[in-house]
Amino acid sequence: MDMLTSSAFAVSAITAIVLLAAILTFSLFSGKLEFFKKDKIQTNDVIDTNLIKALKRFAGLRDVEVMGKTTLSFGGESFDFDAVLLSYYGTIAVKSCYQQGEVYGDIKEENWVSIAKDGKKTYFANPISQTNGSVKFFKELYNTEKVKFGASEAVVVFPAKNVELYAGKRADVYTLKSLEAKLASDKYQSDKGADIKAMKAALEKYTVK
């Protein structure tokens, strides 16, 4: 191997090493950046925005109408929801929780607990209890307005990026990612004859301004 060839080989080897080091550094930095991004505490406004963005992104590919924060009052009862999805399947009302970190709870427990990174525990009321009776509520409201409404459900979601959810399997409780997966299943793409436009008009009629 002559000197020119040796020099070219050496330059190529050095270039490859530098390039590899740059790739490894970028990967390590990106991983750390993503870790800190996920670990960062989010404000309630950011959580609200991310929830609606995710639901509208999902709805944009399907025949789904997304209503934002909605307070409904009908028949002497009232419910607060952070989003309401209307589709040919029916109505899916979403109750959002702001807790972050590790969240533990069970459908039968009166109180749940969230544990922050520093170990601080915060107890809060079982969020599922806040949706009890809402399915019957929607049914009676729609029947009163003579609306074809299909099925009705209410779910609880913890939309924060850094949440780790540990709830019983029977609990209709989700992270934002698992909620998107649920909604994308065949069940929620089925057509139960619900009238999206009429359902929205009925809900708006009983929305507290």
Side-chain angles (χ1 to χ4, degrees):
M1 184 181 294
D2 57 34
M3 185 176 295
L4 182 60
T5 304
S6 298
S7 298
F9 179 79
V11 171
S12 298
I14 293 172
T15 301
I17 292 172
V18 171
L19 181 60
L20 180 60
I23 292 173
L24 291 174
T25 301
F26 176 77
S27 298
L28 181 62
F29 177 77
S30 296
K32 287 184 177 180
L33 185 63
E34 188 64 29
F35 172 79
F36 287 119
K37 184 178 179 181
K38 181 179 179 182
D39 197 56
K40 184 179 178 180
I41 298 298
Q42 295 178 287
T43 64
N44 292 357
D45 287 342
V46 169
I47 292 175
D48 285 337
T49 299
N50 288 344
L51 171 65
I52 296 300
K53 278 184 177 180
L55 294 179
K56 286 188 174 180
R57 184 168 59 246
F58 167 83
L61 302 174
R62 301 165 177 84
D63 291 316
V64 179
E65 180 82 28
V66 178
M67 298 175 64
K69 285 183 176 293
T70 304
T71 298
L72 297 168
S73 180
F74 170 81
E77 292 187 274
S78 63
F79 284 93
D80 294 308
F81 294 107
D82 295 279
V84 180
L85 280 69
L86 304 173
S87 69
Y88 295 122
Y89 170 81
T91 301
I92 301 175
V94 180
K95 184 70 178 180
S96 180
C97 298
Y98 296 119
Q99 283 74 17
Q100 300 178 58
E102 297 179 356
V103 175
Y104 296 87
D106 186 85
I107 191 171
K108 294 182 179 180
E109 294 177 346
E110 182 178 351
N111 292 305
W112 289 21
V113 61
S114 62
I115 304 177
K117 186 178 179 181
D118 60 5
K120 181 181 178 181
K121 295 182 179 180
T122 303
Y123 292 90
F124 59 100
N126 182 338
I128 299 175
S129 64
Q130 299 173 46
T131 65
N132 288 342
S134 59
V135 172
K136 180 182 178 183
F137 176 88
F138 281 114
K139 182 178 180 179
E140 293 178 348
L141 187 156
Y142 288 140
N143 280 333
T144 297
E145 294 302 309
K146 296 179 173 55
V147 172
K148 293 180 179 179
F149 60 90
S152 297
E153 296 184 21
V155 299
V156 173
V157 61
F158 289 81
K161 288 185 177 180
N162 64 351
V163 72
E164 294 182 38
L165 184 59
Y166 302 95
K169 292 182 179 180
R170 294 186 299 113
D172 237 358
V173 181
Y174 305 88
T175 61
L176 189 53
K177 184 176 180 179
S178 62
L179 177 61
E180 289 182 271
K182 170 189 174 75
L183 296 176
S185 66
D186 291 341
K187 174 182 177 181
Y188 295 98
Q189 309 312 308
S190 62
D191 187 343
K192 292 186 175 295
D195 186 332
I196 298 175
K197 185 177 180 179
M199 289 191 298
K200 184 178 180 181
L203 295 183
E204 289 178 339
K205 180 177 179 178
Y206 295 99
T207 295
V208 178
K209 305 298 183 181

